[in-house]
Amino acid sequence: MNRLELLAKAKAEREVKDWASSANTLAPWVTKEPQDTAAAYYYAMALLEIGQANKARGYFERLIGWGKHLPQAHYMLARSFVELDQLEAAYRHFETAHQLGPTDLTLRAVAKGAWMAGDMDRFGAVLSSAGGTQAVVAYGLFVEAERYQEAEDLWARLPTEMVARAESQVLRSRHMRQIGDGPAADIAAQRAALLTPDAASVVDAFAVAKMMIGDAHSALRAIEPMRLAQPNNQYWIAHEATVLRLLGDPRYETLMDFDRFVRSYRLPVPEGYADSAAFNRALQAELETHHHASNHPLDQSLRLGTQTAQDLLAMESPAVRAYIKALKVPVSQYIAEIGQGHEHPLTARNTGQFTIKGCWSVRLTAGGHHVNHVHPQGWISSAYYVSVPSGQDERGGWIKFGQPPFETNPPMMPEKWVQPARGMLVLFPSYMWHGTHPIGAGEPRMTAPFDVVPA
């Protein structure tokens, strides 16, 4: 296979996200021809995607040293540092990538870096100075940050041709959704639908707006094609459930069935620890060392807290490895208890085997909570309570299920609550809306959630 054929094969593998095959395709060539910078770049990209961040970092640093692919190499090097839990280095390289070749991606990365570092002045300045199409991205980031006045000010400055774009109207609809203005959300969503009616982001905006103004039938008609096209996307299942609840359709009860599908377990005490309390103290001490950020991630559900940047699955800590190993028992029990059956989107995927896909830690301080959300790419989701603050107000820190993150007409309240306890693991379908009641003052609350997918 010559060079062009090899690069084309690796590209085809990247396009379907078969990163392991892409890395295997390029590895012999990169070893043979180490000066081939294009092959080295794509090989390093594949390495990063399969979890070999440190090896990928070496290649990106070599490319930068050669003066090749500079904006992209700095950006990917920054991503490598994020995976290696070296956030300050990551932010520096995101900044460099943005200076060398500003794009929507680099703007988002630089703004998020400032946000996570707690540099609110830098965050605002970066977004306020964005021009061209990046101004639309900046508007969306202000909305994500819940800085609505700055978002409104920026929206008012956008050129008419940018405001008229479908992606801009989707962001406008989300803005109006978050501030509870259903009619305005609906107007923006309809404008977007006139331009690109089949785009997933447009369908989402349209369906949510219809649920907000009480037009559940229109929302259901919009959602149905997405459910057929993406049957395992948990977000569309959540939307379908919400519409069925609004319509009083009995299929809602079957789909959600909180008593059957929301289950609590005690994690087995891992080998080498005297008891559950000793294990959780060790796990908490380890996880504390990985909470480097000063603010919550912009695109996540938590508020007034922090989340680990590095996937716990990649950590070599004995306590973390013991935790991951111990999860096999309760997860296996859960999938046995829910059973199998093609009639339900949860049980239809139950092969009896599973893989943990992503594991992280969340640390909440006083007032900290999760807004209602789902995990679109999951199957089974979780909450494991490493530590729980004592002396909480009524339902402080409890996990709630069934309430969407937007206002509906008529309004919806949570349908199930679970009181957390240290050492408790709660498992539930990834499509269930879930969030938490804010915790009160006292010591922080530490959790280590994860997602499960069928094997």
Side-chain angles (χ1 to χ4, degrees):
M1 187 181 300
N2 62 38
R3 178 181 183 273
L4 291 179
E5 291 172 335
L6 181 141
L7 290 177
K9 183 175 184 293
K11 180 181 179 182
E13 291 162 341
R14 286 197 308 275
E15 288 176 347
V16 297
K17 300 189 184 302
D18 187 356
W19 298 105
S21 294
S22 185
N24 290 334
T25 296
L26 291 168
W29 181 268
V30 170
T31 301
K32 178 185 174 184
E33 302 288 346
Q35 301 298 316
D36 188 333
T37 58
Y41 175 80
Y42 291 118
Y43 178 56
M45 179 188 295
L47 290 175
L48 180 59
E49 295 295 343
I50 62 174
Q52 297 186 34
N54 198 45
K55 189 174 180 180
R57 182 189 71 172
Y59 280 94
F60 291 128
E61 288 176 334
R62 190 182 311 168
L63 288 166
I64 291 168
W66 290 338
K68 301 294 184 179
H69 309 284
L70 288 179
Q72 305 95 318
H74 277 286
Y75 181 84
M76 297 303 291
L77 177 59
R79 281 192 53 200
S80 302
F81 278 123
V82 169
E83 293 300 319
L84 294 169
D85 212 14
Q86 300 178 37
L87 299 188
E88 289 188 8
Y91 299 155
R92 289 198 304 272
H93 286 282
F94 279 136
E95 289 269 7
T96 302
H98 190 58
Q99 292 166 0
L100 291 173
T103 65
D104 293 355
L105 277 177
T106 60
L107 173 65
R108 182 175 284 273
V110 169
K112 285 188 173 182
W115 174 269
M116 294 287 284
D119 189 346
M120 297 299 101
D121 289 340
R122 173 66 174 154
F123 175 78
V126 166
L127 297 185
S128 296
S129 62
T133 59
Q134 292 180 32
V136 177
V137 176
Y139 168 71
L141 287 167
F142 273 134
V143 173
E144 285 186 33
E146 299 174 352
R147 293 171 59 155
Y148 298 126
Q149 187 56 58
E150 288 160 292
E152 194 64 49
D153 293 343
L154 182 53
W155 180 261
R157 299 197 303 270
L158 289 177
T160 302
E161 63 272 16
M162 288 189 187
V163 169
R165 295 179 177 180
E167 58 267 31
S168 301
Q169 290 299 321
V170 167
L171 291 174
R172 186 63 175 173
S173 186
R174 290 176 184 168
H175 182 180
M176 297 299 101
R177 174 197 310 185
Q178 288 183 207
I179 64 175
D181 190 340
D186 185 47
I187 290 171
Q190 289 191 65
R191 288 172 176 165
L194 289 173
L195 298 169
T196 54
D198 298 326
S201 60
V202 174
V203 175
D204 169 58
F206 183 88
V208 170
K210 294 304 181 186
M211 286 186 270
M212 292 182 73
I213 65 173
D215 186 359
H217 289 286
S218 292
L220 184 59
R221 285 194 296 271
I223 292 164
E224 284 174 340
M226 304 306 296
R227 282 285 289 119
L228 290 172
Q230 302 175 27
N232 294 330
N233 187 311
Q234 306 295 287
Y235 192 63
W236 299 117
I237 302 174
H239 274 342
E240 180 182 52
T242 306
V243 172
L244 294 177
R245 183 178 172 187
L246 286 170
L247 294 172
D249 192 309
R251 289 178 293 173
Y252 172 77
E253 302 296 337
T254 301
L255 184 59
M256 301 306 276
D257 202 346
F258 297 105
D259 291 337
R260 177 184 175 189
F261 295 139
V262 179
R263 294 175 176 263
S264 300
Y265 303 87
R266 299 297 302 185
L267 192 72
V269 178
E271 184 179 350
Y273 296 89
D275 53 30
S276 178
F279 166 69
N280 281 297
R281 284 195 298 270
L283 182 58
Q284 181 177 1
E286 174 63 31
L287 294 177
E288 288 280 2
T289 68
H290 296 279
H291 281 270
H292 304 305
S294 299
N295 209 348
H296 66 264
L298 273 182
D299 53 357
Q300 300 295 324
S301 63
L302 68 145
R303 302 291 185 271
L304 296 179
T306 58
Q307 180 170 308
T308 50
Q310 185 181 21
D311 193 328
L312 270 59
L313 297 175
M315 294 183 184
E316 297 299 330
S317 154
V320 172
R321 302 313 303 165
Y323 169 60
I324 300 299
K325 183 178 180 180
L327 293 174
K328 182 176 181 179
V329 172
V331 175
S332 296
Q333 184 178 344
Y334 179 85
I335 64 176
E337 290 171 345
I338 64 173
Q340 297 174 315
H342 296 295
E343 76 289 347
H344 195 283
L346 179 68
T347 60
R349 298 178 68 190
N350 190 353
T351 65
Q353 303 295 321
F354 68 90
T355 299
I356 295 177
K357 183 183 180 182
C359 183
W360 58 98
S361 173
V362 172
R363 184 180 187 272
L364 296 181
T365 53
H369 63 285
H370 287 269
V371 298
N372 298 318
H373 64 289
V374 297
H375 298 205
Q377 303 307 314
W379 173 46
I380 298 165
S381 292
S382 64
Y384 178 69
Y385 298 94
V386 183
S387 69
V388 176
S390 58
Q392 293 296 295
D393 297 333
E394 183 179 5
R395 288 183 169 169
W398 288 33
I399 187 170
K400 55 182 177 176
F401 296 92
Q403 184 182 37
F406 47 84
E407 296 180 8
T408 58
N409 184 13
M412 290 184 179
M413 300 302 292
E415 293 199 302
K416 185 175 181 67
W417 293 83
V418 176
Q419 182 177 12
R422 189 170 196 172
M424 174 191 286
L425 172 65
V426 183
L427 296 173
F428 50 90
S430 296
Y431 61 74
M432 280 187 176
W433 296 118
H434 58 285
T436 58
H437 193 76
I439 63 172
E443 64 271 25
R445 191 197 77 168
M446 183 81 74
T447 57
F450 57 92
D451 284 336
V452 170
V453 294

